[in-house]
Each structure stands twice: as C-alpha cells, then as structure tokens.
Amino acid sequence: MNPIVIIGSGLAGFNTLKEFRKLDKETPVVVLTADDGRSYSKPMLSTGFTKQKSADELAMANAEQVAEQFNVTVRTHVHVAGIDTAKQRVLLPDDHLDYSALVLALGADTWTPPLEGDAVGEVFSVNDLIDYGRFRQALEGKKSVTILGGGLIGCEFANDLSNGGFQVSLVEPVGRCLPMLLPEPASAAVGRGLEELGVTFHFGPLAKAVHHRHGGPGERDMLVTELSDGSHIESDAVLSAIGLRPRIDLAKQAGLNTNRGILTDQTLRTSADKVYALGDCAEVGGHVLPYVLPLMASARALAKTLAGEVTPVSYGVMPVTIKTPACPVVVCPVPDEVEGEWRIEENGNDVTALFEDRDGKLRGYALTGEAIKEKMKLNKELPALMP
Ligand SMILES: Cc1cc2nc3c(=O)[nH]c(=O)nc-3n(C[C@H](O)[C@H](O)[C@H](O)COP(=O)(O)OP(=O)(O)OC[C@H]3O[C@@H](n4cnc5c(N)ncnc54)[C@H](O)[C@@H]3O)c2cc1C
C-alpha cells in the first residue's frame, strides 16, 4: 500500500501526523520536508531573546525522534519539485514517491520589499527555526536592530529584542503598529507600550535601501537603512517582517485550484483527488488564517478524514494573542466581508474596541492592556467563523 505523504514538518504537518497516529497506528506515513525536520513551536521564535533560548533549546525533537515516536519516515532537506496528481505521485529531485493520500502543509514564504543597496543580502527574515538560529548567531555581541514592518511579527520582535537588550528601530509605512489588525486607538496603545521599552518608530516612510557603512579604526561596521523620506537609520542588523505569502506555486504547477492560498473545501480537500491542504499555505472555505488555532482544528479534522471518516473542519471563534507584553493584545480579526464599525473605549493603554456589523452584532474585537481580561466574555458573544 502506498503511504500517506505529508509535505511539510511545521505545526500543520506534524500536528496532522500526531492526530492521525491517535487514530491509526499502522498505515505507512512519509513526511517530506525542505528543512531539517526538527519539531518546534513557531510562535516561540518571537520570544527567544526574552527567554534567552538558542534554536537548539527551542527544538522539541529532531527528525529521528519524530520518526520513532510516530512510527513514520521523515525525509529531511528534500525539496518537492512537482506533483503528478493523475499518477498520485510526488516528484523529488532524483526520485519519486507514490501516495495513497497527499497532505500539503507547505507554509508561507516571507516577502521582502524590493530594496536597493550593497547590504540587501544581509537583511534577515525569521520564519523558521533555521532562520532564527542564523539571526541569533548574527546578533551575538551586537547592539541594535532595525525592523521593517510593524505587523504581528515586527511588533513581537520589537518587544522581544528590546527585552533582550537591543536598541530597536521600527519602520512602518502605514503609520501605526499592527495596522491590519487593530483600529487606531489600539495601535496607539501598543506603540506607547513599545516606546516605553525604548523602541524608536519611523512611521510613514518606506525602506528604500540597505547599505554597508564601514567603521573607521575602533568603530563597528554598521548597516544603514535608507528611508523614502530621506532619513537614515544605523543599526547592526536589519530584520524584514513585511509579510507572508502562502506557498502556492507547487500546487499551481500541479494544476490545483489556488487563489490567495491553495483552495480547499471544508474537509481540507483540494481540487485534486486525494490531495489535501492546511496551515499557512491553505485557503479553507475562503479563509486564509495563518495562525495556530485554525491549523490545529484543521489537523484534527483531516486526521479523521485520512483515517476513513470524512470530517469537515469547523472554525469557532479564533482569537490571536499578540506577544507584546509591553502592551498585551488579543484580537479577533473581523472577517473580510463584514461591514460595520468600531465602538471604542479607552483608558490609557487599556483599549476595548468592538466591531459591530450593520445589525449591531459583535463580529470582531481588539483588546489591549488590562482590557484583554474581557476576552472570554466576548468570545461567547461572537458567532463561529465557519460552523
Ligand atoms: C515569529 C512568528 C511568531 C508567530 N506567533 C504566532 C502566535 O503567537 N500565535 C499564532 O496563532 N500564530 C503565530 N504565528 C503563525 C504560526 O506560527 C503559523 O501560522 C504556523 O506555524 C504555520 O505552520 P505551517 O506548518 O502551516 O507552516 P511552516 O511552519 O512554515 O511549515 C512549512 C513546511 O513546509 C516545508 N516545505 C515547503 N515547501 C516545500 C517543498 N516544496 N518541499 C518540501 N518541503 C516543503 C517547509 O520546509 C516546512 O517544513 C507566528 C509566526 C511567526 C513567524
């Protein structure tokens, strides 16, 4: 019997494996991964400087340990080059592998803006454990970091690197923190919290270029980030946290339907027979939700389907906790199609922002500071995202 093949060893791939093994101990499973196959919790990457954890310390198990624990084959450093859905076959660089079912848990690519300058190659992004290890190593003995992007990842790293003793500058063209997730007063509260930690904001301009500045005798070499308003920031390192794009190319080349992500129905099934997708690469019933809660719900449902009981995933209320302890944030993002307005109460950095639709029903919220205590109560009032 051909194995179930899972491509990807992130939280989506490994949680599908874990949930499946609770139901079926024997069916052969092969995990293929472009990285080293270590099991880790990605959200921990933006708390590593606070907790002073190396990449090795954040890893929970290596590929061999995962293989043994779950009775599977894990093939590391394998980049899947294609999928032949008619033959139910995965194409590897010098080989192929036939599957009985295929799970795409491919994650998302980081997006770096089109920068100029002779130091562009030194701009970091941190989207997996290997990136984190390299970034940490590069910062050894260094003092300052410029972060490009003030979204979830940018703000979390701003808080974490400040806690780790670095001087942080953050560039955000939209002009406030977490602009895609929070209304203005909640953004302002997060901005004040981070400023109190020492973060310097450059709101408004775009980053245009990153150059080397070679220090004179007794001086450190620095990187200079040039902004579109003509100003410059000097720092030891630059971290890009501009955004993520679901990895859809492999699916697209194989003829699967894609949009923002790999399109699936509520049972995580793509447009090809026996091919499923979940996690950051997937657009499930119209939702692209690059967070842990949705992928855990998807992994549980998909495991049942793979074990023979076709099971749709339900998305209940999906709050996201943003790890900015300088000003804690919990947000339940408003679904794209919902129209309405924010009702906002603020008291210093404690902001309660409730998004109500045209019928006055709660459809999302953003809470900062002490107001995050309202989370449980509000979760009960919200409708499920995808019942
Ligand atoms: C710094 C940071 C902090 C975060 N914090 C939070 C948080 O607090 N709360 C929250 O809900 N979410 C958070 N997120 C988001 C969350 O971590 C992700 O949604 C989740 O980890 C995605 O898991 P995944 O398995 O879909 O993707 P990934 O972890 O990216 O895994 C993708 C896998 O696919 C493999 N792969 C891709 N293409 C190929 C190929 N062609 N061949 C072989 N293998 C391939 C890769 O090697 C990798 O193993 C955070 C993200 C980051 C970056």
Side-chain angles (χ1 to χ4, degrees):
M1 182 193 180
N2 290 331
I4 294 172
V5 174
I6 299 174
I7 311 178
S9 60
L11 287 173
F14 275 166
N15 274 294
T16 304
L17 170 64
K18 192 164 121 196
E19 295 296 330
F20 179 69
R21 275 293 181 247
K22 288 182 189 165
L23 307 171
D24 178 327
K25 306 256 182 283
E26 299 303 329
T27 300
V29 178
V30 178
V31 178
L32 302 172
T33 178
D35 59 40
D36 58 18
R38 283 185 290 178
S39 159
Y40 70 101
S41 173
K42 195 183 281 197
M44 296 295 111
L45 300 184
S46 47
T47 62
F49 287 91
T50 305
K51 296 181 179 159
Q52 303 196 15
K53 296 263 190 200
S54 68
D56 286 344
E57 286 167 329
L58 289 179
M60 296 180 292
N62 63 29
E64 292 76 34
Q65 290 164 327
V66 173
E68 199 184 320
Q69 187 184 355
F70 295 107
N71 180 30
V72 295
T73 304
V74 182
R75 290 178 63 178
T76 58
H77 305 293
V78 180
H79 196 275
V80 175
I83 305 164
D84 184 335
T85 56
K87 291 189 178 144
Q88 296 195 188
R89 175 170 289 177
V90 165
L91 310 175
L92 307 174
D94 341 281
D95 197 1
H96 66 257
L97 184 64
D98 292 341
Y99 58 80
S100 59
L102 177 65
V103 177
L104 304 177
L106 304 168
D109 277 318
T110 50
W111 184 72
T112 310
L115 292 169
E116 291 170 10
D118 62 358
V120 172
E122 290 178 36
V123 174
F124 284 91
S125 52
V126 175
N127 188 33
D128 60 34
L129 195 58
I130 297 174
D131 293 340
Y132 174 78
R134 286 196 194 116
F135 183 55
R136 241 195 116 78
Q137 202 173 11
L139 287 189
E140 260 171 44
K142 301 290 167 58
K143 296 188 172 137
S144 55
V145 181
T146 299
I147 298 177
L148 311 182
L152 181 147
I153 295 170
C155 285
E156 288 193 355
F157 271 111
N159 201 141
D160 189 39
L161 287 163
S162 299
N163 288 352
F166 293 91
Q167 174 58 52
V168 175
S169 305
L170 189 147
V171 182
E172 170 50 62
V174 175
R176 57 193 178 89
C177 292
L178 299 156
M180 309 303 278
L181 288 172
L182 301 184
E184 206 279 325
S187 290
V190 178
R192 286 191 296 270
L194 291 174
E195 250 165 7
E196 276 164 29
L197 269 191
V199 176
T200 308
F201 289 105
H202 298 259
F203 284 139
L206 289 161
K208 266 178 57 185
V210 183
H211 305 282
H212 284 113
R213 187 182 68 71
H214 297 289
E219 280 183 350
R220 305 202 307 280
D221 288 349
M222 301 293 277
L223 298 180
V224 179
T225 304
E226 191 186 324
L227 306 184
S228 56
D229 63 0
S231 59
H232 295 82
I233 308 167
E234 282 201 4
S235 58
D236 290 303
V238 178
L239 175 69
S240 171
I242 300 289
L244 292 171
R245 290 186 174 168
R247 290 195 179 109
I248 59 172
D249 290 354
L250 187 64
K252 229 175 164 174
Q253 283 156 18
L256 272 58
N257 293 343
T258 58
N259 181 36
R260 280 184 299 157
I262 302 169
L263 288 174
T264 82
D265 63 14
Q266 223 173 317
T267 64
L268 290 320
R269 204 181 54 174
T270 69
S271 56
D273 196 28
K274 302 285 182 202
V275 183
Y276 303 87
L278 80 165
D280 281 9
C281 67
E283 182 168 340
V284 180
H287 300 277
V288 177
L289 295 172
Y291 305 113
V292 175
L293 280 181
L295 76 78
M296 300 288 264
S298 298
R300 285 191 292 273
L302 181 55
K304 286 191 189 161
T305 299
L306 295 171
E309 184 195 335
V310 177
T311 304
V313 61
S314 299
Y315 288 164
V317 178
M318 295 281 171
V320 182
T321 299
I322 297 169
K323 300 182 294 299
T324 46
C327 176
V329 182
V330 181
V331 57
C332 207
V334 182
D336 289 344
E337 71 286 358
V338 176
E339 289 185 7
E341 56 191 49
W342 288 103
R343 199 156 53 78
I344 297 172
E345 281 173 29
E346 53 182 314
N347 178 13
N349 283 355
D350 308 337
V351 178
T352 305
L354 308 179
F355 192 91
E356 291 175 351
D357 66 16
R358 300 263 178 257
D359 299 325
K361 289 208 179 84
L362 184 70
R363 300 304 299 275
Y365 62 74
L367 307 171
T368 67
E370 289 292 308
I372 64 167
K373 291 178 186 155
E374 298 293 306
K375 172 180 112 167
M376 299 301 262
K377 189 179 123 247
L378 294 172
N379 287 348
K380 290 190 189 134
E381 286 179 38
L382 278 169
L385 202 55
M386 190 171 69

